[in-house]
Amino acid sequence: MRDFFSLDGAFNKYGGMLADMVIVSLMWLLFTAATLGIAAGASTAALFYVTTRRISDREGYITRDFWEAFKANFKRATVIWLIILGMLLLLYNNILLILDAEAGASGIFSIVLPAQLVFIALILLMSVYIYPLIARFDMGLVQVCKSAFFMAVRHFLTSITCVALVVGVLFLFFQFPPLLIVAPGLYAWLASMMIMRVFKKYRPEMDKDPMLEIAELEAARAEEKRRREFNLGSGDSEDEERRDFWDDVEEERSED
């Protein structure tokens, strides 16, 4: 029981995580509501910036990280949010027109209706990755969409699971509305666990501990220096070139 309430115990760990979820959820709600939904995309990008970093145990201040990410990604995230919203409204309107048409179950309408549903599904699957990509990578909108499409298809199980997670969180919210204060953060936290695994397949060094990076770099330099010193006596041209190279490196480091 003492371990449960210790500084490294489960109570502090999960209690702190829950508190972080509430804080980031309230910030998402505040920034989205204050802009009448226009900045929902930027708020979501900021939300995923915070949660993906926390999943990787990167330290920081939630409110500051959220605000900085919101400002940095506002333009890209807002533009793509308005595009997605416009496309979904257009597709929804098309579906209503098709269902209202007398020939809705035959002819061209039987082809057009499934196509609308496929487009909606594809947009939802891509949206799983769009805002985390905006939050964590410096990409143009075209590259974001290409990467999101590739990941949505390549990692289909993860994509479907994240969409199902959205549905599940919304269901819980409608069953118990007070959960709104934690719902956005809960979804982003759970989704980030899966999304970061996908990201690290392509960027293994992502969110690596900087102290570990320094230690590995120093170890690599020491090993290379040891090999260089060991091979200096061989006298072949390759060793001479290697020695000249490292002499130049050491000279540049001393000048810095």
Side-chain angles (χ1 to χ4, degrees), residues 29-254:
L29 292 169
L30 175 62
F31 280 66
T32 300
T35 58
L36 302 178
I38 294 176
S43 298
T44 304
L47 176 67
F48 274 104
Y49 179 80
V50 172
T51 56
T52 53
R53 283 177 59 84
R54 292 304 180 277
I55 292 300
S56 299
D57 294 325
R58 299 304 295 268
E59 296 297 327
Y61 297 96
I62 286 182
T63 53
R64 185 186 65 188
D65 288 350
F66 188 100
W67 172 240
E68 293 297 331
F70 181 87
K71 290 190 299 181
N73 299 303
F74 180 82
K75 183 176 180 180
R76 287 186 303 158
T78 301
V79 169
I80 203 163
W81 160 246
L82 294 177
I83 292 173
I84 289 174
L85 184 61
M87 292 178 65
L88 289 175
L89 290 175
L90 177 62
L91 292 168
Y92 176 71
N93 184 65
N94 289 345
I95 291 173
L96 292 181
L97 292 176
I98 292 170
L99 294 177
D100 287 340
E102 293 182 0
S106 62
I108 191 172
F109 293 103
S110 62
I111 299 175
V112 175
L113 179 58
Q116 310 298 306
L117 297 176
V118 168
F119 279 125
I120 289 176
L122 183 58
I123 291 173
L124 293 177
L125 293 174
M126 290 176 61
S127 296
V128 168
Y129 302 98
I130 283 176
Y131 296 105
L133 283 168
I134 289 176
R136 300 309 309 275
F137 299 100
D138 186 16
M139 296 180 176
L141 292 182
V142 174
Q143 186 60 43
V144 167
C145 292
K146 287 182 178 179
S147 299
F149 175 79
F150 171 80
M151 291 180 180
V153 176
R154 177 67 178 80
H155 305 279
F156 186 72
L157 181 59
T158 298
S159 308
I160 285 290
T161 303
C162 288
V163 172
L165 189 58
V166 173
V167 175
V169 170
L170 288 175
F171 176 78
L172 290 176
F173 162 66
F174 284 115
Q175 293 296 313
F176 191 61
L179 282 177
L180 182 62
I181 65 170
V182 72
L186 176 62
Y187 164 73
W189 223 280
L190 295 175
S192 292
M193 294 179 183
M194 295 179 280
I195 292 170
M196 284 301 292
R197 285 200 294 267
V198 172
F199 284 177
K200 288 184 177 181
K201 289 180 182 293
Y202 307 98
R203 292 284 299 274
E205 76 284 0
M206 185 178 181
D207 279 347
K208 202 171 187 179
D209 185 349
M211 296 305 297
L212 181 60
E213 290 184 24
I214 294 173
E216 290 180 350
L217 181 59
E218 292 297 332
R221 286 176 175 172
E223 177 64 17
E224 186 62 31
K225 184 176 181 180
R226 185 189 68 79
R227 292 179 179 177
R228 177 172 63 90
E229 292 174 349
F230 180 78
N231 292 325
L232 282 180
S234 63
D236 59 31
S237 59
E238 184 178 350
D239 288 332
E240 291 294 333
E241 292 176 1
R242 187 186 297 112
R243 181 175 59 184
D244 292 341
F245 170 77
W246 279 104
D247 287 342
D248 291 340
V249 171
E250 293 297 335
E251 184 179 348
E252 290 178 4
R253 289 179 61 187
S254 63

